[in-house]
């Protein structure tokens, strides 16, 4: 019986392969198969007529070619045929597709030989996503392919499918826009999709029997088949996903993929360990798999062929599918050098792509924290951003505790942590970092390195969290809090990130970890957009305000330090500041931002001059609201006020 402990192996001695041709490559005259398997003694290739049931109609052995490479050439046209590999390294390992498989049959059991050109939609070569002047111009909207359209009231025909994103002008029964039309109406710049690479726990033959977010990876270069109209033909999922990308791009919306290279669903049974046992995973001192992912294993990103694999995979998604950004799940597992090389390599091929991730791990890693891409090391990774969980918890309370409160739910003494979010976790002389409970130092060098958010797919939705922490709050009070949270996220420096449906008070009925909960919990309930349309309209105006005004999206930390100052007298439960707007390219002069987290109105003394409201209560009007004022302003409870100098 195989011993799955590896403390006797020095993986640094394994050979490195320079080439970029690993995997299965089709042409009409031949198909080349090339894999890296330095410990293999025999590598057998099997060919099949379908992706699941049939017996192999052909078997052949790959030949060693140096540097751990094994290869063979199949002469003739094998398009549409399926394959597996089986490796003997002293014992026979399991039959799997290769680790580079880009097209797979149902449930990822077999790879598929295909012609990539035939998967391209019409005019695909002309397709491209939006490229912004800077990352702080982005407004990111996170959703899940199935959640987006599965509701009976979505008005979308291809429910739970990639194609659901391609349907124009969909509406609820009462005529409120849904789907793609909703994204356009809201005005976001990028859709962030939860994982779409092939994952394990949903049976693609019976996709509605189970639900999963998709953080259980099987094949990193192949698409998930449960979102396709036909999971048996691997090219269908590719064609349909490209149509999704093209539809969003045609509406000037970029596509960001959530990537989960940090672990695999299976440990020893993974395609990696059935190819080169132990190499792709880190180990503890006793040689067993380490588990910083909390899922049974973690990627050894620092090993040369692992780093090469991740970079080539990202390049494939960016080039073949025209992807505009990547979000790294548990980025704190990756080593710093790999993340820096990823940024440099992608800049060579697809400049302007967005990169960000979770600056933490889920458990202990044998790699020291000072060598990993955790939040406190973000400054060492120019061009890569981390999630500002300090701002998140300051606004709504501790993400995991039902009853904890934050600034928008009336908790005082969170003002300094909110200010820390306002300046995008950068260095600012007016922040007293000792009062920022969760971060004693600025961790972002530039605002482009800070993703500001108040909710995402993880944990409770914003609406649910507020409702649990304030069970006696009325619906109107909860709406005010949701608006105030959105106002802070969308007017603060950094990169704003919204959980899909937060703009109409999305609920998951209090489910704080819905990764495998049913559609009834996870689906976007489009009828809530009808019910909370005033909240939606407020978010829509906030996004337009941000797009129109460079004061809310400064490009550098120095610009923020020079032009944003906390200019009014401190009050409990109030955060306010001034922006010297003309200095950052505004038509406006001085801007005064005031956020009142208290239930009651508060008076705030104004600097010298005359001002007019741009935002007041639940109103936003860039042309101005009411008469000009001076000396002092009363700010409604649980609301934002914006005043500009006249």
């Amino acid at each position: 019986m195989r011993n799955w402990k590896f403390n006797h192996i020095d993986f640094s001695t394994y050979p490195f392969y320079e080439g970029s041709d690993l995997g299965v490559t089709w042409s009409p005259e031949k198909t080349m198969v090339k894999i890296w398997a330095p410990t293999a003694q025999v590598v057998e290739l099997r060919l099949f007529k379908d992706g699941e049931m049939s017996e192999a109609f052909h078997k052949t052995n790959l030949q060693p070619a140096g540097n751990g490479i094994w290869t063979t050439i199949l002469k003739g046209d094998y398009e549409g045929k399926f394959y597996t590999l089986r490796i003997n390294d002293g014992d026979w390992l399991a039959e799997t597709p290769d680790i580079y498989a880009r097209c797979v049959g149902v449930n990822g059991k077999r790879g598929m030989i295909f012609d990539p050109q035939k998967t391209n939609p019409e005019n695909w070569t002309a397709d491209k996503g939006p490229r912004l002047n800077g990352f702080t111009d982005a407004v990111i909207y996170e959703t899940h392919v199935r959640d987006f359209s599965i509701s009976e009231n979505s008005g979308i025909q291809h429910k739970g499918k990639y194609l659901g994103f391609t349907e124009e002008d969909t509406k609820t029964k009462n005529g409120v826009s849904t789907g793609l039309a909703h994204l356009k109406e809201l005005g976001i710049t990028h859709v962030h999709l939860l994982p779409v690479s092939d994952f394990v726990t949903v049976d693609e033959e019976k996709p509605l029997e189970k639900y999963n977010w998709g953080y259980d990876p099987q094949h990193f270069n192949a698409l998930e088949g449960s979102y396709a109209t036909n999971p048996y033909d691997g090219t269908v999922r590719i064609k349909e996903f490209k149509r999704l990308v093209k539809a969003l791009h045609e509406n000037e919306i970029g596509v960001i993929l959530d990537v989960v290279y940090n672990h695999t669903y299976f440990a020893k049974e993974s395609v990696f360990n059935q190819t080169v046992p132990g190499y792709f995973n880190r180990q503890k001192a006793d040689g067993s798999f380490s588990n910083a992912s909390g899922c049974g294993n973690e990627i050894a990103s620092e090993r040369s062929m692992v780093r090469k694999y991740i970079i080539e995979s990202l390049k494939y998604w960016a080039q073949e599918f025209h992807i505009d950004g990547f979000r790294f799940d548990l980025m704190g597992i990756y080593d710093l050098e790999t993340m820096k090389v990823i940024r440099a390599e992608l800049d060579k091929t697809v400049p302007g792509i967005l990169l960000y991730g979770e600056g933490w791990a889920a458990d202990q890693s044998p790699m020291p924290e000072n060598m990993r891409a955790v939040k406190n090391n973000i400054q060492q990774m120019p061009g890569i951003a981390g999630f500002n969980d300090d701002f998140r918890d300051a606004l709504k309370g501790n993400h995991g505790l039902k009853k904890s409160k934050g600034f928008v739910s009336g908790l005082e003494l969170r003002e300094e942590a909110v200010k820390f979010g306002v300046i995008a976790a950068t260095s600012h002389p007016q922040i007293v970092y000792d009062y920022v409970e969760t971060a004693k130092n600025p961790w972002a060098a530039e605002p482009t390195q800070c993703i500001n958010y108040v909710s995402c797919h993880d944990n409770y939705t914003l609406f649910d969290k507020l409702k649990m922490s304030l069970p006696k709050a009325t619906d109107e009070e909860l709406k005010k809090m949701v608006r105030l949270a959105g106002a802070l996220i969308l007017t603060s420096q950094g990169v704003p990130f919204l959980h899909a449906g937060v703009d109409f008070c999305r609920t998951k009925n209090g489910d704080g970890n819905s990764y495998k909960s049913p559609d009834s919990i996870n689906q976007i309930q489009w009828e809530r957009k009808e019910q909370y349309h005033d909240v939606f309209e407020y978010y829509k105006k906030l996004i337009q305000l941000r797009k129109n005004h460079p004061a809310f999206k400064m490009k550098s930390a120095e610009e923020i330090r020079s032009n944003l100052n906390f200019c009014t007298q401190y009050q409990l439960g109030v955060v306010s500041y001034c922006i010297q707007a003309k200095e950052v390219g505004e038509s406006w002069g001085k801007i005064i931002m005031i956020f009142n987290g208290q239930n009651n109105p508060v008076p705030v003394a104004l600097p010298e001059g005359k001002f007019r409201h741009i935002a007041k209560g639940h109103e936003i009007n860039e042309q101005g609201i009411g008469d000009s004022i001076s000396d002092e302003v009363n700010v409604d409870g649980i609301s934002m006020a914006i005043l500009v100098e006249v």
Side-chain angles (χ1 to χ4, degrees):
M1 185 159 178
R2 179 178 292 271
N3 177 6
W4 288 90
K5 291 195 174 183
F6 301 94
N7 48 336
H8 60 292
I9 297 176
D10 180 1
F11 288 114
S12 68
T13 64
Y14 282 28
F16 181 75
Y17 178 64
E18 295 275 0
S20 57
D21 57 353
L22 293 175
V24 176
T25 309
W26 172 89
S27 72
E29 301 77 28
K30 65 184 180 182
T31 293
M32 177 175 284
V33 182
K34 185 177 281 191
I35 71 163
W36 182 75
T39 58
Q41 298 173 17
V42 180
V43 180
E44 181 187 69
L45 173 72
R46 297 181 178 187
L47 295 176
F48 306 87
K49 291 182 179 177
D50 68 39
E52 188 178 25
M53 299 298 293
S54 62
E55 294 294 318
F57 68 82
H58 180 70
K59 298 178 184 178
T60 189
N61 286 348
L62 276 63
Q63 301 303 309
N67 282 334
I69 298 300
W70 294 77
T71 186
T72 192
I73 293 174
L74 302 170
K75 293 183 178 177
D77 188 352
Y78 282 85
E79 184 184 359
K81 300 300 185 288
F82 293 81
Y83 68 91
T84 59
L85 293 163
R86 197 173 182 214
I87 289 168
N88 188 311
D89 66 348
D91 297 304
W92 281 106
L93 293 158
E95 194 175 349
T96 65
D98 65 299
I99 67 172
Y100 278 86
R102 296 178 174 90
C103 187
V104 294
V106 67
N107 290 319
K109 293 177 181 177
R110 295 172 179 175
M112 184 177 176
I113 299 168
F114 76 115
D115 175 2
Q117 290 295 317
K118 290 184 180 177
T119 65
N120 292 342
E122 190 177 351
N123 298 323
W124 182 244
T125 53
D127 173 77
K128 60 180 181 179
R131 284 296 180 264
L132 308 174
N133 292 327
F135 289 173
T136 55
D137 287 344
V139 179
I140 300 168
Y141 199 70
E142 181 207 51
T143 192
H144 179 275
V145 171
R146 186 157 146 181
D147 295 356
F148 190 67
S149 55
I150 199 72
S151 164
E152 278 301 311
N153 202 20
S154 70
I156 296 170
Q157 181 182 345
H158 294 95
K159 295 188 190 307
K161 304 298 182 186
Y162 298 123
L163 292 181
F165 284 82
T166 69
E167 297 179 33
E168 299 274 356
D169 300 323
T170 57
K171 293 179 170 63
T172 65
K173 292 171 186 174
N174 292 326
V176 170
S177 62
T178 65
L180 177 59
H182 167 77
L183 299 176
K184 290 161 62 176
E185 185 184 11
L186 183 58
I188 51 93
T189 67
H190 289 76
V191 166
H192 162 151
L193 295 174
L194 267 63
V196 296
S197 62
D198 185 49
F199 57 85
V200 176
T201 51
V202 172
D203 184 346
E204 294 175 357
E205 295 188 278
K206 304 168 186 173
L208 297 182
E209 287 193 359
K210 281 189 177 180
Y211 175 97
N212 206 281
W213 283 338
Y215 295 98
D216 50 342
Q218 181 167 232
H219 299 297
F220 288 108
N221 293 329
L223 282 154
E224 170 60 21
S226 67
Y227 303 145
T229 59
N230 176 1
Y232 299 97
D233 179 348
T235 64
V236 171
R237 59 187 80 181
I238 298 175
K239 292 173 186 174
E240 293 178 350
F241 184 68
K242 285 181 175 177
R243 285 180 61 190
L244 174 156
V245 172
K246 189 166 183 283
L248 288 168
H249 283 174
E250 286 172 346
N251 289 285
E252 299 182 2
I253 298 171
V255 179
I256 297 169
L257 294 190
D258 204 322
V259 290
V260 196
Y261 301 106
N262 66 75
H263 78 284
T264 49
Y265 177 74
F266 296 116
K268 63 186 180 184
E269 302 93 341
S270 76
V271 65
F272 292 136
N273 282 315
Q274 296 304 312
T275 304
V276 192
Y279 181 82
F280 283 81
N281 296 112
R282 290 188 190 128
Q283 288 82 28
K284 294 185 277 192
D286 67 358
S288 62
F289 292 119
S290 54
N291 186 27
S293 70
C295 300
N297 60 91
E298 66 181 281
I299 198 79
S301 60
E302 68 281 7
R303 293 177 189 161
S304 59
M305 287 299 287
V306 182
R307 181 178 292 165
K308 174 186 172 70
Y309 177 86
I310 294 170
I311 291 166
E312 289 187 345
S313 178
L314 290 166
K315 284 184 176 180
Y316 171 68
W317 286 105
Q319 293 174 317
E320 182 66 24
F321 294 97
H322 305 173
I323 297 304
D324 306 291
F326 296 102
R327 177 265 194 189
F328 294 86
D329 182 62
L330 295 180
M331 185 173 71
I333 289 173
Y334 299 70
D335 69 290
L336 278 169
E337 185 60 27
T338 291
M339 292 306 302
K340 289 192 269 191
V341 175
I342 286 170
R343 178 75 269 175
E345 288 297 313
L346 287 174
D347 281 346
K348 292 177 187 175
T349 51
V350 277
I353 205 162
L354 277 70
L355 299 179
Y356 58 96
E358 293 178 299
W360 49 80
D363 210 331
Q364 297 299 308
S365 174
M367 173 169 278
E369 190 169 283
N370 66 346
M371 297 173 67
R372 290 188 280 115
V374 296
K375 191 173 67 174
N376 287 337
N377 296 330
I378 288 284
Q379 294 193 18
Q380 299 179 52
M381 298 184 286
I384 297 173
F387 281 94
N388 191 351
D389 54 333
D390 309 293
F391 200 17
R392 175 199 68 193
D393 287 1
L395 292 179
K396 69 176 182 182
N398 182 283
H399 64 282
L401 301 176
K402 291 182 180 182
K403 294 184 178 180
S404 70
K405 298 175 186 176
F407 178 81
V408 304
S409 40
L411 184 66
E412 295 174 342
L413 298 177
R414 285 295 174 271
E415 297 81 25
E416 212 66 17
V418 173
K419 288 161 63 177
F420 180 76
V422 164
I423 51 95
T426 58
S427 175
H428 193 288
Q430 289 179 287
I431 301 291
V432 183
Y433 290 94
D434 284 346
Y435 291 171
V436 182
E437 199 171 79
T438 54
K440 298 305 180 189
N441 296 289
W443 49 261
E446 299 293 348
T448 51
Q449 290 189 293
C450 178
I451 303 290
N452 281 331
Y453 74 121
V454 71
S455 59
C456 67
H457 67 277
D458 277 323
N459 313 119
Y460 306 111
T461 70
L462 174 60
F463 184 83
D464 287 349
K465 178 69 170 70
L466 295 171
K467 194 171 183 177
M468 285 185 287
S469 62
L470 292 164
K472 294 182 179 178
T474 66
D475 218 39
E476 283 303 314
E477 289 169 333
L478 293 171
K479 287 199 296 185
K480 285 182 182 181
M481 295 172 207
V482 172
R483 281 197 293 261
L484 181 57
L488 277 153
I489 295 299
L490 286 160
T491 62
S492 290
Q493 307 303 317
V495 183
F497 173 105
L498 303 174
H499 182 216
V502 69
D503 45 309
F504 45 87
C505 299
R506 184 176 180 177
T507 180
K508 292 185 185 178
N509 297 339
D511 190 332
N513 189 19
S514 67
Y515 76 100
K516 62 177 183 179
S517 301
D519 291 318
S520 58
I521 296 294
N522 282 295
Q523 67 186 346
I524 294 181
Q525 299 163 316
W526 291 103
E527 59 272 18
R528 287 181 76 86
K529 186 179 174 185
E530 302 167 6
Q531 184 181 355
Y532 295 97
H533 205 264
D534 54 340
V535 177
F536 166 76
E537 286 292 332
Y538 189 78
Y539 271 73
K540 176 182 169 182
K541 288 176 182 177
L542 282 169
I543 290 170
Q544 194 58 52
L545 182 75
R546 185 180 184 88
K547 284 182 170 181
N548 291 347
H549 295 283
F552 303 122
K553 47 187 179 180
M554 296 183 217
K555 300 294 189 283
S556 73
E558 187 51 47
E559 245 191 329
I560 296 169
R561 285 189 287 271
S562 299
N563 300 298
L564 188 157
N565 64 92
F566 297 94
C567 58
T568 60
Q569 188 172 355
Y570 171 74
Q571 295 186 61
L572 273 174
V574 178
V575 169
S576 56
Y577 58 94
C578 300
I579 300 173
Q580 303 302 325
K582 282 224 161 59
E583 301 298 317
V584 294
E586 282 280 2
S587 56
W588 290 339
K590 183 178 286 185
I591 303 173
I592 301 173
M593 309 291 297
I594 307 169
F595 302 90
N596 181 11
Q598 296 187 34
N599 271 314
N600 301 316
V602 294
V604 177
L606 296 173
E608 189 175 332
K610 287 189 175 182
F611 300 88
R612 74 174 185 272
H613 274 105
I614 296 299
K616 181 180 182 181
H618 63 272
E619 291 182 82
I620 298 174
N621 186 336
E622 293 183 44
Q623 306 310 310
I625 302 166
D627 298 328
S628 62
I629 56 173
S630 56
D631 299 326
E632 186 178 272
V633 62
N634 267 323
V635 181
D636 293 346
I638 318 175
S639 78
M640 170 183 72
I642 301 178
L643 298 104
V644 298
E645 197 168 23
V646 293

